[in-house]
Amino acid sequence: MKSKPKSKQVKTKAKAKVVEEDFRDENEIAFDDVINSSEEEEEDFDADIQDDDEFEVKAEKYRRRMLAQKQLADAEQQEDIDQRTSKVTPLEDHETEGVQLYEQTHTAEELRDRVQEIVRVLTNFSDEREEGRSRAEYLELLKNDLMELYEYNEFLMDCIMRLFPPSEVVDFLEAMEKTRPTTIRVNTLKAKRRDLVQTLVKRGMNIEPLEKWSKVGLQVFESNVPIAGTIEYLAGYYMLQAAASFLPVMALAPQEGERILDMSAAPGGKTTYIAQLMKNTGVLFANDVSAPRCKSLNANLQRLGVTNCIVTNYDGTGYEKVMRNFDRILLDAPCTGTGIISRDKSIKTSKHYEDIQRSSQQQRSLLLSAIDACKVEGYIVYSTCSFLVEENEAVVDFALKRRNVKIVEMGLPFGRPGFTKYQHNRYDESLEQSRRYFPHVHNMDGFYVCKLKKISQEVPKEPRAVEKNKGKGSEKRPRAQEEASPAAGKKRKTDASSNISIPPKSTSRTPAPKKKSKSKK
């Protein structure tokens, strides 16, 4: 009874085993068919996804597409890491570019990365430099990259790189690309700052006091109305004026009842500020060489309610022949405007060496005329909207040698001191009392201000530096170049503060008469 069921179990197990093997074979055959079919259709997975594709086909196409994108992203990331971490990128990358003569190989981002790397090397040159590479090579590559990135001409870029260390050069150029804050000056002849702020806020202006150093300045962050189109502007309650333009007038410090000259007055921002500080007392002369600009000057004087001003239209050079004995004179000299590149981008490529020399020569003549027109113990303030030494310290140093004046403190609460050394030139040490303003440091236009005091009316026949060196072997304040005396014959003399050649003064105005015997022959 028990053996029979065992045999049946064995038979059933054998049958089940055969069925299982048959099923396994069928499954293997079916699986191979699927694999073979997928291999036949493998090239279709790279095609676009179609609406009539089966679900499995769509999923495979998505998977392959995502995998390809991931591989591409990983490759780009690794390439970027290799480029950024490579030690030899700056100079070797530049040398490899020399092979590709006609291709633009760098984007702005790549140039910024390379500039940053060069600056890093230059700040710690002894440890970071490549072997066999000089500092001049790095500086030349930095200059070329900055010229391409910020679109300056070579002359201006050279001037900027002489003024600042490499890390500060980049900060300066970046600041020049940004616009300066909009500022207005309250006309205290007609309004008070607190009342004007309340009125302008109601008109939709976001406005705040400028800084602690100015009691009349306001900074406009945004406005729903035109700043120069409000009733208050037309009524003369305020004047649109850059913050840097406040500084020369503050240095001049005009007093009530004085006789003051603004030698280059148009369009009238500084002139009206002087009249405001004088409280419409005394006499203020506003001069400008341009007749059309004198019209805009007159319009601003009338709009702001200035009543103590007389407008003249003369060339500033030789103004001492028209009027003299002024208590204070402001000379905001015409210049190349390199400090206001943020407002006029064309200056980057339009200014060259010849323009600087021409402007410097004009500024020297204007400053000497201003000193001659000022009374003894009077003050002259010289200012420009330029950061170039040739238009600033070199001009003032020229005047110090040819007139009896000295530099005095201006009382301005901030600003960098002026240069006393620039390349091979050595200027008067008192020029440290002048002030420079830069956009990346003070968030205002590039500006220069210097205040002079007239000591006497006498005009030295020769530059004072020559007279000092006659009896002394050494000077406490060295000069860059000594000027030749008139006895040097026909040789030309070069001024110590620039490369402008000045012909020597002749010792006699008329030629010596010929002998009678020779004239008879």
Side-chain angles (χ1 to χ4, degrees), residues 37-242:
S37 63
S38 65
E39 289 177 354
E40 293 174 358
E41 299 177 358
E42 185 176 358
E43 59 185 23
D44 295 333
F45 287 124
D46 295 330
D48 294 336
I49 299 172
Q50 304 295 332
D51 294 335
D52 56 350
D53 288 341
E54 295 182 359
F55 176 78
E56 292 82 0
V57 176
K58 287 184 179 180
E60 182 64 20
K61 287 183 177 180
Y62 274 119
R63 188 184 69 79
R64 294 195 179 195
R65 183 171 299 178
M66 295 300 294
L67 181 61
Q69 291 179 357
K70 184 177 182 302
Q71 291 175 348
L72 181 61
D74 291 342
E76 291 180 352
Q77 183 180 11
Q78 187 61 38
E79 183 181 358
D80 185 62
I81 291 173
D82 293 340
Q83 289 180 353
R84 290 175 180 271
T85 56
S86 178
K87 179 84 173 177
V88 294
T89 38
L91 289 176
E92 287 196 357
D93 185 37
H94 176 65
E95 290 172 354
T96 55
E97 288 168 19
V99 181
Q100 303 173 356
L101 297 177
Y102 301 105
E103 295 183 7
Q104 182 70 26
T105 58
H106 281 97
T107 63
E109 186 62 29
E110 291 171 343
L111 284 172
R112 291 180 191 276
D113 289 342
R114 192 161 75 175
V115 165
Q116 187 177 1
E117 176 66 16
I118 296 172
V119 170
R120 184 186 67 81
V121 173
L122 290 173
T123 51
N124 191 13
F125 187 70
S126 58
D127 297 332
E128 300 291 340
R129 72 184 182 92
E130 301 173 36
E131 293 185 6
R133 302 291 190 178
S134 65
R135 189 179 184 87
E137 290 181 84
Y138 281 94
L139 289 173
E140 183 67 22
L141 177 58
L142 177 63
K143 182 182 76 171
N144 293 332
D145 285 350
L146 292 175
M147 287 169 55
E148 183 178 350
L149 183 60
Y150 296 101
E151 299 178 344
Y152 282 76
N153 63 22
E154 187 174 1
F155 170 72
L156 268 186
M157 187 58 68
D158 283 335
C159 293
I160 294 171
M161 294 185 70
R162 292 191 203 109
L163 289 177
F164 306 107
S167 58
E168 197 171 356
V169 167
V170 179
D171 295 338
F172 176 83
L173 295 174
E174 281 292 337
M176 278 295 188
E177 296 300 305
K178 302 174 183 176
T179 57
R180 303 274 77 77
T182 302
T183 55
I184 62 177
R185 175 178 55 80
V186 180
N187 180 20
T188 54
L189 295 175
K190 290 189 173 185
K192 294 182 179 180
R193 185 165 72 168
R194 181 180 58 186
D195 298 337
L196 182 62
V197 168
Q198 294 175 354
T199 304
L200 295 179
V201 167
K202 291 179 181 178
R203 293 198 180 277
M205 286 190 189
N206 184 3
I207 194 168
E208 288 184 4
L210 181 59
E211 292 289 347
K212 292 182 179 179
W213 55 266
S214 175
K215 297 181 179 179
V216 294
L218 294 172
Q219 183 173 343
V220 182
F221 295 97
E222 58 181 353
S223 177
N224 297 329
V225 294
I227 300 176
T230 63
I231 297 175
E232 288 74 22
Y233 177 84
L234 298 175
Y237 286 6
Y238 64 89
M239 178 83 172
L240 263 170
Q241 189 172 358

Side-chain angles (χ1 to χ4, degrees), residues 256-457:
E256 297 180 28
E258 288 185 331
R259 193 166 181 260
I260 298 177
L261 168 66
D262 187 355
M263 189 171 277
S264 298
K270 300 178 184 67
T271 307
T272 53
Y273 192 12
I274 294 173
Q276 172 179 321
L277 295 176
M278 295 173 69
K279 298 181 180 179
N280 266 342
T281 63
V283 183
L284 172 60
F285 289 87
N287 177 72
D288 201 272
V289 69
S290 171
R293 286 168 62 85
C294 284
K295 294 180 180 179
S296 62
L297 172 61
N298 267 316
N300 282 322
L301 291 172
Q302 293 178 9
R303 183 174 62 83
L304 273 74
V306 176
T307 58
N308 66 335
C309 185
I310 300 173
V311 178
T312 60
N313 179 214
Y314 293 101
D315 187 353
T317 304
Y319 197 86
E320 73 279 3
K321 300 175 183 177
V322 181
M323 278 178 281
R324 304 173 69 97
N325 295 325
F326 292 99
D327 296 302
R328 300 172 194 265
I329 296 178
L330 173 61
L331 174 58
D332 185 37
C335 64
T336 54
T338 54
I340 57 172
I341 290 177
S342 59
R343 284 188 262 167
D344 185 3
K345 303 296 183 184
S346 65
I347 297 174
K348 292 180 179 181
T349 55
S350 62
K351 301 303 177 184
H352 301 277
Y353 176 79
E354 295 76 13
D355 302 312
I356 308 303
Q357 293 301 311
R358 193 182 306 113
S359 177
S360 177
Q361 187 64 43
Q362 181 186 19
Q363 290 158 353
R364 294 174 183 210
S365 301
L366 288 170
L367 183 54
L368 293 183
S369 296
I371 295 172
D372 293 339
C374 186
K375 73 175 186 180
V376 179
E377 300 296 321
Y379 295 95
I380 305 100
V381 170
Y382 174 80
S383 64
T384 67
C385 56
S386 171
F387 58 78
L388 298 176
V389 175
E390 292 82 359
E391 297 185 271
N392 298 324
E393 286 89 349
V395 175
V396 177
D397 188 73
F398 178 87
L400 289 173
K401 297 173 185 175
R402 286 160 177 77
R403 294 293 185 272
N404 286 321
V405 293
K406 66 176 182 179
I407 299 176
V408 295
E409 284 288 346
M410 295 178 288
L412 297 177
F414 64 100
R416 287 190 176 181
F419 291 108
T420 57
K421 298 178 182 179
Y422 179 70
Q423 293 186 291
H424 62 279
N425 294 317
R426 298 296 180 267
Y427 302 127
D428 197 293
E429 288 184 354
S430 61
L431 277 163
E432 287 186 350
Q433 299 182 66
S434 63
R435 289 292 177 264
R436 283 179 158 269
Y437 300 91
F438 298 110
H440 67 292
V441 179
H442 308 103
N443 196 22
M444 58 176 61
D445 295 328
F447 224 78
Y448 177 80
V449 185
C450 183
K451 187 174 185 179
L452 302 168
K453 183 177 182 180
K454 188 171 181 178
I455 301 172
S456 70
Q457 198 71 32

